[in-house]
Amino acid sequence: GPMLAIASDTALYLLEFVDRRGLEREIERLRTRTKSAIIPGRTPVIDSIDAELKAYFQGTLTHFKTPLFWLGSPFQKTVWQELMKIKRGQTCSYAAIARNIGMPKAFRAVANANGANQLAIVIPCHRVINTNGDIGGYGGGISRKSWLLNHEKRERL
């Protein structure tokens, strides 16, 4: 589905599906926290993520190189860094991520940090599933998460 990207001249701040619940609040929070105006237009960063997303959906992208700005707490950033380690076509559970960051009981906090990710697909929160193997939730919708996981398994590079 269609996506919205918000970027400066140097980094991508937000990449979300336009039908994500709460997107307006997310944009307002971003505007407030960065103390900046958000205006329509294109930057080199927008052009970069646009080209990379096209390659991702064609199955030819090995990893994203667009510079990112991670707007979150130190804990959230730790979780997001761990998400970046999940390879295309693979999944990981919230509990495994909590163990990997040295906080095995923090799986609920990991789930909350996962849901706070503002860089859909690039920081692959869609690759996180429940411990029992169920697909779990996704801000972009369960059917979209399922599609992304199947796409990555089919197009494994």
Side-chain angles (χ1 to χ4, degrees), residues 131-144:
T131 303
N132 66 5
D134 288 346
I135 197 166
Y138 184 58
I142 297 296
S143 61
R144 189 173 281 140

Side-chain angles (χ1 to χ4, degrees), residues 17-61:
F17 293 98
V18 296
D19 58 356
R20 179 178 171 137
R21 237 183 15 249
L23 180 59
E24 295 84 10
R25 264 191 331 274
E26 230 176 298
I27 293 168
E28 182 57 27
R29 190 170 39 248
L30 174 65
R31 189 192 66 70
T32 302
R33 290 181 73 189
T34 60
K35 295 177 176 53
S36 55
I38 298 173
I39 57 172
R42 292 192 75 89
T43 68
V45 174
I46 299 284
D47 292 337
S48 173
I49 196 61
D50 185 40
E52 287 184 336
L53 285 169
K54 286 176 182 163
Y56 169 83
F57 287 113
Q58 291 170 355
T60 60
L61 184 77

Side-chain angles (χ1 to χ4, degrees), residues 57-127:
F57 287 113
Q58 291 170 355
T60 60
L61 184 77
T62 55
H63 64 280
F64 290 93
K65 295 179 183 171
T66 298
L68 307 175
F69 187 91
W70 296 8
L71 190 62
S73 71
F75 177 79
Q76 288 171 327
K77 290 176 184 179
T78 298
V79 171
W80 300 337
Q81 287 170 341
E82 194 63 29
L83 295 178
M84 299 290 283
K85 296 176 185 176
I86 307 170
K87 300 209 182 311
R88 182 185 179 108
Q90 297 180 352
T91 57
C92 190
S93 70
Y94 299 102
I97 290 170
R99 283 191 306 274
N100 291 347
I101 64 170
M103 301 178 76
K105 294 183 179 180
F107 56 89
R108 284 188 184 88
V110 165
N112 287 334
N114 195 58
N117 171 29
Q118 293 186 313
L119 296 164
I121 300 175
V122 179
I123 297 177
C125 56
H126 62 279
R127 296 179 188 156

